Amino acid sequence: MILLRRLLRYLQSAQVWIVLGVVGPLGMLLISGLMLLDLRRDTWDRAEQTSQNLLQVIERDIARNIEIYDLSLRGVVDNLKAPGLADLSPVLRQLILFDRAASASDMGVMLVLDESGNIIDDANAAQPRTANYADREYFQIHKTNRDQGLYISKPLISRLTGVPMIALSRRINKPDGSFGGVAMGTLKLSYFMRLFDRIGLGQNGAINLYRDDGTRIMRYPFVEADIGTSIAAAPDFKRFARDRSGSFTAVSVRDKVERHYAFTHIGDLPLILNVALATADIEAEWRTKAWIIGGTSLVLCGLTIILALWVGRELRHRTAMQAELARLSLTDGLTGLSNRRRFDEALPHAWSAAAHTGRPLSLLIVDADHFKRFNDRYGHQVGDDVLRGLARCLMSTVHRDEDLVCRLGGEEFALLLPETDLAGALRIAEKVHSEIAACRLWPVGIGAGAVTVSIGVASSDGGRRPHTTCNDLYRSADAALYEAKAAGRNQTQWTRTTERDLETSSPLLRIVNT
């Protein structure tokens, strides 16, 4: 129960509401930010996995088709070694040479070239077509390099069909090991175009197939001007060539679009494949969610902060009102002095403090003489002005923070003086008489000296007898006031407290008449 009460008091604090109202939403924003970062990491993980899956599918398709075509070329080279092949008719020779030749819509021509580059066998015609390929790069490579193996050319335009293609070729050796020609087949670029076109990569995604010398064989989306160009000097390609596989994010040198590149070498072939997803496309869905979640969080946190500040302001306002009401409840509305309630609270505390420290405590009760005459003659408004004037005079006689000047009611006032002995209290009483006698600020019609007061003084030396309680102190001062009234008013009477006070009495310890 005690903890609950403390918690309720804690929650009623304006500062607590303001701190919670600011720190709470900031914590929510931090958590939302961490969640969005986690979602972003998941988005990039999915993009990475998608890129790797696409690479794997495309690589396998290309590797399988080139392997099939290479097996066909190997078959042609092996069949050329068959005995008696030269003596066969052109039709039988074609059937034997190209019995393992692959056939598909994207497969172009398959030819056998002699050592001079002329066509001597044609998979598509029993009577070979006429053309010479001695100037082609692949022919010169095989002619000068006995151990070349399968060679994949740069993109070319077929001299027989006029379509873009790449040439796959193998060297043919004579029985003595010398150069005997080239077995060559073409693969149309439309094969790569259709293969890449089936993959959806977003608006700015791209797929590229390069030779290992940096020559671009195919790009999706297809741009004819890109085919056959070299990017060997580009930093991105240098990374492709250096590593067998991997991924990174960079800005494309071609169109300045930032992309996430996933790349791999296709088997043992001199080909490099990359799948490039635009970072804007990867993060598009995440950014939409981020705007929605972030915007909603900001709005809600903003409203929470505003509400907390408003609640804090209201609590401060309420606290200030309560403090003001408390002050007003302890303040006399007419004179601005502390009222009887404040006096009733302060007297026991001052008495307890005096009893604890052994220090003296004095009380002066001041009453305006013949005050009813002012009201009857001049009216209550003037009477109120007189009371306010008396309050100013009383306040001017004390200067310590611990001294308390109160209006007890009507024309009666009190001065509570901690740590003040009887002699000090009588000096204050004399000062009160002097201030009131010298005052020139009374209402019109009331001259100087017309207003007088009677004062009753009581003092206690640390709570010891004869005043055993604070009420005894008050009654003694009140009794002294009545003695002053009975003795003719405009004077001070006091209550003697100890024998020591009697022995050390001075002229100030007599009845003061002014």
Side-chain angles (χ1 to χ4, degrees):
M1 186 59 72
I2 296 176
L3 291 176
L4 180 60
R5 285 198 296 268
R6 288 181 178 176
L7 179 61
L8 291 175
R9 285 197 300 270
Y10 184 73
L11 293 176
Q12 289 175 352
S13 170
Q15 289 78 6
V16 170
W17 274 95
I18 292 174
V19 171
L20 291 178
V22 173
V23 173
L26 290 178
M28 292 171 59
L29 284 177
L30 177 61
I31 293 173
S32 298
L34 293 175
M35 290 176 60
L36 289 175
L37 288 176
D38 191 56
L39 286 175
R40 187 173 183 270
R41 282 193 294 268
D42 289 343
T43 298
W44 276 95
D45 289 343
R46 288 196 300 270
E48 177 70 25
Q49 188 61 49
T50 299
S51 298
Q52 294 299 329
N53 291 339
L54 292 176
L55 273 179
Q56 190 176 37
V57 170
I58 298 172
E59 178 199 7
R60 287 178 179 177
D61 197 291
I62 293 174
R64 183 177 65 253
N65 281 283
I66 291 179
E67 181 183 11
I68 292 172
Y69 217 170
D70 186 36
L71 289 174
S72 298
L73 293 176
R74 289 173 182 269
V76 171
V77 173
D78 291 341
N79 289 338
L80 282 171
K81 300 175 183 177
L85 183 66
D87 300 328
L88 298 176
S89 66
V91 175
L92 288 176
R93 179 183 173 89
Q94 182 191 38
L95 290 174
I96 292 173
L97 280 178
F98 303 106
D99 67 332
R100 288 186 283 173
S103 61
S105 60
D106 291 314
M107 300 298 178
V109 299
M110 185 171 286
L111 306 171
V112 176
L113 309 178
D114 63 14
E115 64 271 22
S116 298
N118 296 312
I119 301 175
I120 58 175
D121 292 290
D122 188 339
N124 295 325
Q127 187 62 40
R129 288 168 283 188
T130 302
N132 184 276
Y133 295 92
D135 61 330
R136 292 294 200 190
E137 181 185 30
Y138 57 83
F139 186 85
Q140 296 298 324
I141 291 291
H142 287 300
K143 185 176 181 178
T144 58
N145 189 348
R146 177 173 180 155
D147 301 320
Q148 173 61 43
L150 178 67
Y151 182 80
I152 301 175
S153 74
K154 298 178 181 179
L156 303 169
I157 300 297
S158 175
R159 291 175 178 173
L160 296 179
T161 62
V163 298
M165 52 82 184
I166 58 172
L168 286 73
S169 57
R170 281 190 172 273
R171 176 187 168 106
I172 299 173
N173 291 321
K174 292 181 179 180
D176 61 358
S178 62
F179 178 65
V182 174
M184 182 270 291
T186 62
L187 181 60
K188 298 176 184 178
L189 295 186
S190 58
Y191 158 68
F192 301 108
M193 194 181 304
R194 279 195 293 271
L195 176 62
F196 295 171
D197 195 48
R198 292 198 300 265
I199 310 297
L201 294 182
Q203 183 177 358
N204 295 305
I207 305 175
N208 291 279
L209 179 65
Y210 302 99
R211 290 197 340 156
D212 57 6
D213 63 355
T215 302
R216 182 183 277 115
I217 296 175
M218 178 53 63
R219 181 185 189 276
Y220 170 84
F222 178 76
V223 178
E224 186 174 358
D226 290 337
I227 307 306
T229 60
S230 176
I231 64 165
D236 294 348
F237 184 79
K238 291 179 180 179
R239 188 164 182 176
F240 296 156
R242 183 181 70 244
D243 303 328
R244 287 293 303 175
S245 62
S247 62
F248 61 92
T249 300
V251 177
S252 170
V253 296
R254 177 185 176 277
D255 54 14
K256 308 304 180 185
V257 175
E258 186 182 60
R259 292 185 174 91
H260 174 72
Y261 293 92
F263 65 93
T264 186
H265 287 237
I266 300 179
D268 295 327
L269 301 174
L271 298 175
I272 299 174
L273 175 69
N274 79 52
V275 173
L277 301 177
T279 56
D281 294 337
I282 293 174
E283 295 184 350
E285 183 179 356
W286 173 81
R287 284 177 179 169
T288 301
K289 292 180 180 178
W291 276 109
I292 294 174
I293 296 174
T296 302
S297 298
L298 282 174
V299 170
L300 292 177
C301 290
L303 291 175
T304 302
I305 291 174
I306 291 172
L307 180 61
L309 293 176
W310 179 81
V311 171
R313 188 191 68 177
E314 291 300 312
L315 286 174
R316 285 199 303 270
H317 181 64
R318 189 183 73 174
T319 301
M321 288 183 62
Q322 289 176 342
E324 180 63 17
L325 289 173
R327 187 189 69 81
L328 292 175
S329 69
L330 300 175
T331 303
D332 178 61
L334 176 63
T335 62
L337 299 177
S338 296
N339 61 12
R340 180 60 182 260
R341 180 178 179 183
R342 176 72 181 94
F343 175 77
D344 290 341
E345 291 179 356
L347 181 58
H349 286 91
W351 179 266
S352 297
H356 179 71
T357 62
R359 304 290 294 172
L361 173 66
S362 295
L363 174 64
L364 281 68
I365 297 181
V366 181
D367 187 83
D369 294 330
H370 306 296
F371 183 73
K372 187 174 182 301
R373 296 178 184 176
F374 294 107
N375 282 334
D376 294 342
R377 182 175 179 179
Y378 300 105
H380 288 282
Q381 181 63 47
V382 173
D384 290 344
D385 291 339
V386 170
L387 292 176
R388 281 190 284 266
L390 286 173
R392 288 192 297 269
C393 292
L394 294 176
M395 285 297 297
S396 67
T397 61
V398 295
H399 304 287
R400 298 184 306 174
D401 293 338
E402 60 268 25
D403 294 335
L404 181 66
V405 181
C406 304
R407 183 189 177 198
L408 300 181
E411 64 273 22
E412 190 173 77
F413 299 86
L415 281 74
L416 185 62
L417 309 174
E419 299 190 12
T420 303
D421 58 12
L422 180 59
L426 291 175
R427 284 194 293 270
I428 296 297
E430 183 179 18
K431 190 175 181 181
V432 169
H433 286 296
S434 299
E435 288 288 334
I436 293 174
C439 182
R440 297 292 188 272
L441 300 178
W442 304 116
V444 177
I446 301 178
V451 178
T452 62
V453 295
S454 298
I455 303 174
V457 178
S459 183
S460 173
D461 53 351
R464 294 189 296 271
R465 294 182 65 87
H467 304 297
T468 58
T469 68
C470 62
N471 291 329
D472 293 332
L473 182 68
Y474 178 79
R475 282 192 292 267
S476 296
D478 193 50
L481 172 64
Y482 279 98
E483 289 181 10
K485 291 282 189 181
R489 293 183 172 83
N490 191 22
Q491 58 184 267
T492 297
Q493 288 279 2
W494 70 91
T495 298
R496 286 177 284 203
T497 60
T498 65
E499 291 299 325
R500 181 175 57 83
D501 292 329
L502 291 175
E503 294 172 358
T504 60
S505 61
S506 67
L508 287 175
L509 300 181
R510 300 187 181 92
I511 298 175
V512 180
N513 295 289
T514 60

